[in-house]
């Protein structure tokens, strides 16, 4: 019963390096999301994908790109990492068939030095 | 734009005491409302949700929340707190559009004293 799976769980990057966070869900959900969590700020939406083939910016999209590879997978890419992108990243998914509930992965801890 | 306010950054209660965590939202219509809990180093677990109907909703782990339209509030309650309830709690609202974009409050950290 995997649900939403994110990799890697932990990553340290140097400023300017690039990396991709992977996310996959096995619940056949249409919508997928990427959030970042910072102390005292709750979770903020970076990008979302309402359905396969579509992506849209959320509240804090600068410095990120996303790809909805297929219905299951939604990746988040940092092209040139900055210390301000040190955060915990959460992938999530939802669907009307899930009662419109949004399910979260366990998070990816990213540190940019 | 929708927004969520959790006015209490940190709450401390004794084990066995009652608990109420406050949540106020700003939205043009009635949104979908959620409470999530996050233990240290973990992801978010859904406690309960309100979409429509009965304004008092029951969730997991003995939690409940009441939607009050007139006050734009969705406060979380538990009659008797257990030490295992110590965690961070997030209130969230979602639009009723095709993609359920969640807007989160900044969270309330709950400490439970023995």
């Amino acid at each position: 019963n995997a649900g939403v799976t994110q990799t890697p769980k932990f990553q340290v990057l140097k400023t300017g390096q690039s990396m991709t966070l992977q996310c996959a869900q096995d619940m056949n959900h249409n919508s997928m999301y990427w959030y970042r969590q910072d102390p005292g700020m709750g979770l903020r939406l970076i990008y979302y994908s309402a359905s396969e083939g579509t992506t849209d910016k959320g509240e804090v999209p600068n410095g990120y790109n996303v790809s909805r590879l297929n219905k299951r997978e939604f990746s988040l890419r940092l092209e040139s990492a900055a210390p301000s992108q040190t955060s915990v990243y959460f992938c999530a998914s939802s669907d009307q068939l899930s009662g419109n509930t949004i399910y979260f992965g366990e998070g990816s801890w990213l540190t940019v030095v | 734009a929708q927004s969520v306010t959790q006015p209490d950054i940190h709450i401390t209660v004794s084990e066995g005491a009652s608990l109420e965590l406050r949540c106020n939202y700003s939205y043009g219509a009635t949104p979908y409302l959620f409470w999530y809990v996050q233990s240290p180093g973990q992801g978010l677990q859904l406690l309960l949700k309100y979409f429509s109907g009965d304004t008092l909703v029951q969730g997991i782990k003995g939690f409940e929340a009441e939607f009050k339209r007139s006050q734009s509030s969705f406060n979380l309650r538990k009659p008797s707190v257990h030490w295992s309830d110590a965690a961070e709690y997030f209130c969230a609202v979602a639009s009723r559009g095709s993609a359920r974009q969640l807007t989160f409050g900044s969270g309330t950290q709950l400490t439970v004293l023995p």
Side-chain angles (χ1 to χ4, degrees):
Chain A
N1 190 18
V4 180
T5 304
Q6 299 177 227
T7 57
K9 193 169 180 67
F10 299 98
Q11 183 72 49
V12 179
L13 286 178
K14 294 182 179 179
T15 297
Q17 285 186 318
S18 62
M19 78 157 296
T20 300
L21 297 176
Q22 306 287 352
C23 176
Q25 51 92 8
D26 62 3
M27 295 175 282
N28 202 36
H29 288 170
N30 281 315
S31 300
M32 297 186 72
Y33 314 82
W34 275 105
Y35 287 87
R36 61 177 287 172
Q37 183 178 29
D38 302 290
M41 303 188 73
L43 281 80
R44 293 179 292 169
L45 183 65
I46 304 171
Y47 270 94
Y48 68 98
S49 171
S51 61
E52 185 179 357
T54 69
T55 61
D56 286 285
K57 295 179 180 179
E59 181 183 356
V60 288
N62 291 344
Y64 305 95
N65 286 300
V66 291
S67 296
R68 184 73 182 268
L69 304 171
N70 47 57
K71 191 171 186 178
R72 291 186 64 249
E73 298 173 289
F74 188 41
S75 62
L76 178 71
R77 183 161 179 83
L78 287 69
E79 291 291 352
S80 179
S84 62
Q85 293 178 305
T86 294
S87 188
V88 184
Y89 292 85
F90 288 95
C91 180
S93 70
S94 73
D95 196 87
Q96 288 185 348
L97 294 178
S98 73
N100 299 313
T101 297
I102 298 180
Y103 293 90
F104 286 84
E106 294 191 342
S108 297
W109 274 253
L110 176 65
T111 300
V112 183
V113 297
Chain B
Q2 59 202 39
S3 65
V4 180
T5 301
Q6 293 181 248
D8 303 306
I9 296 173
H10 194 183
I11 283 183
T12 299
V13 299
S14 297
E15 191 169 18
S18 63
L19 172 69
E20 183 170 28
L21 302 182
R22 296 183 290 166
C23 173
N24 292 95
Y25 68 89
S26 173
Y27 188 64
T30 300
Y32 294 127
L33 296 161
F34 304 82
W35 274 99
Y36 284 86
V37 60
Q38 184 181 32
S39 298
Q42 300 296 314
L44 283 82
Q45 181 182 21
L46 180 70
L47 284 176
L48 48 78
K49 61 188 178 185
Y50 173 78
F51 289 167
S52 64
D54 192 346
T55 56
L56 183 63
V57 294
Q58 302 297 321
I60 62 172
K61 304 185 180 185
F63 285 92
E64 66 177 27
E66 185 172 13
F67 169 57
K68 293 186 177 180
R69 186 190 307 273
S70 61
Q71 299 177 18
S72 297
S73 68
F74 189 56
N75 294 349
L76 182 71
R77 301 193 294 248
K78 187 170 185 178
S80 178
V81 171
H82 188 264
W83 64 266
S84 60
D85 293 324
E88 189 157 22
Y89 292 80
F90 292 94
C91 180
V93 301
S95 64
R96 290 177 177 257
S98 59
R100 308 283 182 243
Q101 304 169 53
L102 278 174
T103 299
F104 284 85
S106 55
T108 297
Q109 183 68 47
L110 174 65
T111 297
V112 180
L113 300 177

